[in-house]
Amino acid sequence: MNLRDGRRTIATALMGPWRTAPIIISLVAIAIFFNTQSSLFLSSRNLTNLANQIAVLATVALALVGLLVVRQIDLSLAALAAVCGGIAAKLSVESNLNVGLAIVVALAAGAAVGVVQAVVVNVFRAPAFVVTLGGMFVLNAVLLWLLPATSVIPLADTPLEKIANTFVPAWLSYVLLLAVVLLFAGMRFAHHRARLGEGMPSNLVRSTVIPAAALAAVGLVPLIFVFNAYRGVPTPVVIVLALMAGIAYVTSQTPLGRQIYAIGGNPEGARRAGISVPLVTTVVFATGGFLAATAGIMAASRELGVSSANSDLTLLLEALAAVVIGGVSLFGGRGTVWAALLGSLVIGSISNGLYLLNASTQMRWTIEGLVLVAAVAIDSTISRKSGAQRDS
Amino acid sequence: MNASLLEVRDVAKSYGAVTALKRASFSVRSGEVVALAGDNGAGKSTLIKILSGSISADSGEVRFAGEPVSIGSPNDAARLGIQTVYQDLALCDNLDVVDNIFLGREPRGPWWRGFRVRRPRMERLTADALASVGIRIQRVDVPMGHLSGGQRQCVAVCRAILGDPKVVILDEPTAALGVAQRREVLDLIVRLRDQGRGVILISHDLVDILKVADRIVVLRLGETVADKPGAEWTEHTLVSAITGATAGEQR
């Protein structure tokens, strides 16, 4: 194997199964750097705090992954999050509605807005960029109508506050992890048995035992050294991880997931294969709206109040940066749930670390911007070297 | 097996003032490769679109296994057992070989198994299908974008034959392929025929057509102008028929 082939092989591996390796290495580097600057950075308290902060960002990023994969975008996600947070707060605090019901209404409203925007995009074949830009303006207006400029709904000592400020006790976190690992092992085992049933080779240890053990290890480290060394796992972190696991299952294991990626890869090919492109994109938009509402409710709970200032364009832009850092293609067809998680961790750690160092806002934005540009440059280089990018 | 499997009689189609097909007729039997030759605008693509259910004819008759049929949609064509491999292949570069072959018809588990795709079964069926037509692809779990042009064509054909169609329509399968890849695809066409399928081949490449076609049908300006066994053609007579240089060929 000559040098050029070697480089190509490495690039191909980085495009495929090792896609996340550079991001994880960057995360470790970021953690080491900040910890040498401030020993507080890796403290269980700060990392718990960081995880709680990232939950909102990661949820919006998760919504963007699905949309970008099907060649769409939703610029109204942050505004929608604020509106849905406002709806939940207003219903539960001002109208004294049961908090569970208020949350359900807010989540449904988020999904409904997603559906409406998807219908406009599909019926008029209008670019989602513009449709959702308009949606953002309208939603900001709705927010002002819901919460006039000076009004604030305080959430301290309300049931809504408890979402962000409740910690899962240590024993329960281990039980949950065990359940997840067992479920995962069961799925791997079913796959292993099915392969044997088709007369194909499969190794029990390599197909089931090692992946399940790896998942257990990946789960145990943060549980023992971060969350349970402080106050336990914050509820938003559990919510985000559950959403990610569910969406990861749908995208990687079901026909719907195949259809989503097929539309991103070749919309006309997907259509000829009998896939209803408008229906699938509508499902993705609705899920995006639902996730935005989830993010909005978690944000309201963490910030102990909602006001019209909650519509935060920075949240949308940081989420966009996070998914690009995570390796999601802006041209569709490529990107995973884990991109949202890892990208949010990168953006969140840098932001949190610079806060600890008392860096100025201009310093933070400069560094976040440069990291984003560097990530895109590296990503484009890897894509090119692997030969995966075809001229189109 | 002398009866026609698929037969087209005097089919016509106009787009507004433009007549794409005037009086096109041809037929294909089981285990036969029929090539449709003709210059640009001769009506080859229109004819294929009618047979694959993308558009419908203005007049004329299509018979399948002797019975008159109407092919109103790609699904109708699939139900009859007619599969088309389009020139652009309609593959998704970001999905792997297995997912491309099963796209839109993945076998999946019941709801209580979370509608999980039966990936091991798909992998075995893919391996079987590839082997049945003698295609060698080292790994079926690599993204489509990493395969060569010939391999992509083979995967597209493999996807078409998964439902065991009786007629396979190939639209310009050798365009933009290298010499070795071209031979690979031509071998594949012969194997489809040997499996007893009717193959309709549309190609600009006269050398390819003369090499594999059992019968060559020439279309000119929307009309069938010649229909003869492959052995009776030479490159010279074929060019003449396509361009109309020797008028009176059929008269």
Side-chain angles (χ1 to χ4, degrees):
Chain A
M1 180 192 292
N2 64 34
L3 190 61
R4 179 173 292 200
D5 280 349
R7 282 197 190 137
R8 194 184 155 96
T9 308
I10 293 170
T12 306
L14 286 175
M15 278 301 286
W18 297 98
R19 169 118 233 149
T20 51
I23 312 168
I24 292 172
I25 292 167
S26 312
L27 267 178
V28 172
I30 290 166
I32 291 172
F33 171 76
F34 281 121
N35 208 48
T36 58
Q37 302 297 309
S38 160
S39 57
L40 285 177
F41 184 78
L42 285 182
S43 69
S44 56
R45 180 192 169 141
N46 185 53
L47 290 179
T48 299
N49 210 346
L50 172 64
N52 217 346
Q53 286 165 6
I54 287 173
V56 172
L57 175 63
T59 309
V60 176
L62 191 55
L64 274 177
V65 172
L67 288 157
L68 287 175
V69 167
V70 294
R71 301 191 175 188
Q72 304 288 348
I73 194 165
D74 187 346
L75 298 179
S76 73
L77 289 171
L80 182 56
V83 167
C84 294
I87 290 173
K90 215 169 163 74
L91 287 178
S92 72
V93 177
E94 289 196 347
S95 309
N96 279 321
L97 198 67
N98 173 293
V99 66
L101 205 56
I103 289 173
V104 169
V105 170
L107 293 175
V113 170
V115 170
V116 169
Q117 299 198 110
V119 167
V120 174
V121 167
N122 282 319
V123 169
F124 300 101
R125 312 240 169 140
F129 190 95
V130 182
V131 171
T132 59
L133 185 65
M136 182 184 83
F137 281 115
V138 173
L139 286 165
N140 279 333
V142 170
L143 188 66
L144 271 178
W145 171 74
L146 210 61
L147 305 163
T150 51
S151 94
V152 175
I153 302 179
L155 293 176
D157 299 319
T158 66
L160 216 49
E161 179 219 339
K162 294 208 172 65
I163 297 172
N165 301 297
T166 303
F167 292 82
V168 174
W171 67 267
L172 184 56
S173 69
Y174 294 117
V175 170
L176 285 176
L177 178 63
L178 182 68
V180 168
V181 170
L182 285 179
L183 193 65
F184 178 71
M187 282 177 52
R188 298 292 309 182
F189 184 65
H191 184 77
H192 163 75
R193 287 244 324 248
R195 274 187 72 90
L196 291 179
E198 299 290 343
M200 292 188 290
S202 187
N203 178 307
L204 180 64
V205 174
R206 273 174 52 188
S207 72
T208 307
V209 179
I210 291 177
L215 178 65
V218 167
L220 275 176
V221 170
L223 274 189
I224 294 174
F225 294 103
V226 178
F227 297 121
N228 293 335
Y230 183 54
R231 293 174 61 188
V233 189
T235 311
V237 172
V238 177
I239 294 171
V240 171
L241 289 177
L243 287 171
M244 286 191 166
I247 292 174
Y249 177 82
V250 171
T251 51
S252 69
Q253 302 293 325
T254 69
L256 177 62
R258 267 45 176 195
Q259 295 174 0
I260 287 170
Y261 284 101
I263 290 171
N266 184 348
E268 177 58 20
R271 197 185 61 76
R272 284 203 214 137
I275 295 169
S276 169
V277 178
L279 181 65
V280 175
T281 49
T282 303
V283 168
V284 174
F285 266 101
T287 309
F290 175 87
L291 290 169
T294 310
I297 294 166
M298 292 193 303
S301 172
R302 202 167 61 81
E303 287 155 18
L304 300 179
V306 292
S307 72
S308 55
N310 275 40
S311 179
D312 181 8
L313 194 57
T314 311
L315 173 63
L316 178 76
L317 299 180
E318 284 192 338
L320 198 53
V323 298
V324 170
I325 288 171
V328 177
S329 165
L330 291 174
F331 306 104
R334 174 162 65 81
T336 63
V337 165
W338 313 116
L341 181 62
L342 290 171
S344 303
L345 278 170
V346 169
I347 291 278
S349 321
I350 292 173
S351 181
N352 173 290
L354 291 171
Y355 258 119
L356 282 185
L357 300 185
N358 278 322
S360 60
T361 303
Q362 51 267 49
M363 184 61 139
R364 275 197 305 122
W365 286 355
T366 305
I367 291 179
E368 285 182 29
L370 291 178
V371 167
L372 175 64
V373 173
V376 168
I378 293 170
D379 187 68
S380 303
T381 309
I382 292 173
S383 303
R384 197 156 34 78
K385 290 258 165 37
S386 78
Q389 267 185 347
R390 287 182 166 271
D391 296 327
S392 52
Chain B
M1 295 291 268
N2 278 323
S4 292
L5 189 57
L6 181 64
E7 195 175 358
V8 175
R9 272 190 208 160
D10 296 331
V11 165
K13 174 75 185 175
S14 301
Y15 297 101
V18 182
T19 306
L21 280 179
K22 251 186 281 182
R23 226 172 20 250
S25 303
F26 82 100
S27 66
V28 60
R29 288 188 278 262
S30 299
E32 182 185 45
V33 178
V34 174
L36 289 183
D39 212 346
N40 291 334
K44 302 184 305 262
S45 302
T46 307
L47 192 51
I48 290 322
K49 282 181 188 157
I50 289 170
L51 290 178
S52 63
S54 297
I55 58 174
S56 52
D58 296 338
S59 64
E61 191 180 40
V62 178
R63 285 171 171 264
F64 191 83
E67 298 291 315
V69 291
S70 87
I71 305 172
S73 72
N75 282 338
D76 287 350
R79 253 194 304 279
L80 287 171
I82 303 170
Q83 284 284 350
T84 307
V85 180
Y86 297 93
Q87 185 172 2
D88 66 3
L89 304 184
L91 296 167
C92 298
D93 282 349
N94 57 334
L95 298 182
D96 68 12
V97 175
V98 177
D99 284 341
N100 263 292
I101 284 179
F102 281 93
L103 189 61
R105 50 184 169 174
E106 300 88 352
R108 60 170 166 79
W111 64 267
W112 45 272
R113 289 216 171 150
F115 298 123
R116 195 176 183 197
V117 166
R118 293 192 157 148
R119 176 77 192 189
R121 169 167 299 179
M122 285 159 58
E123 283 180 19
R124 184 183 56 79
L125 291 174
T126 300
D128 291 353
L130 289 171
S132 81
V133 284
I135 301 169
R136 277 184 304 263
I137 290 178
Q138 281 179 329
R139 292 183 60 175
V140 291
D141 58 353
V142 293
M144 211 62 226
H146 289 248
L147 300 188
S148 71
Q151 288 175 319
R152 293 161 65 77
Q153 185 73 49
C154 288
V155 170
V157 171
C158 202
R159 173 158 94 183
I161 64 167
L162 195 71
D164 198 19
K166 296 185 177 70
V167 175
V168 179
I169 302 171
L170 300 164
D171 190 5
E172 296 285 357
T174 54
L177 290 187
V179 177
Q181 296 177 346
R182 174 172 300 217
R183 201 174 54 218
E184 215 174 301
V185 171
L186 293 181
D187 287 348
L188 178 57
I189 291 171
V190 171
R191 248 171 269 128
L192 292 178
R193 175 190 64 194
D194 293 346
Q195 289 175 342
R197 302 180 209 281
V199 180
I200 300 171
L201 170 66
I202 294 94
S203 181
H204 269 101
D205 195 302
L206 304 185
V207 179
D208 285 351
I209 288 181
L210 287 165
K211 218 179 273 177
V212 296
D214 299 311
R215 213 144 44 76
I216 300 176
V217 176
V218 178
L219 292 176
R220 192 165 67 229
L221 302 173
E223 272 183 284
T224 304
V225 294
D227 183 344
K228 288 194 292 187
E232 292 179 22
W233 291 95
T234 65
E235 206 169 330
H236 181 74
T237 56
L238 197 49
V239 170
S240 305
I242 289 171
T243 57
T246 50
E249 174 90 38
Q250 281 286 292
R251 284 171 208 165

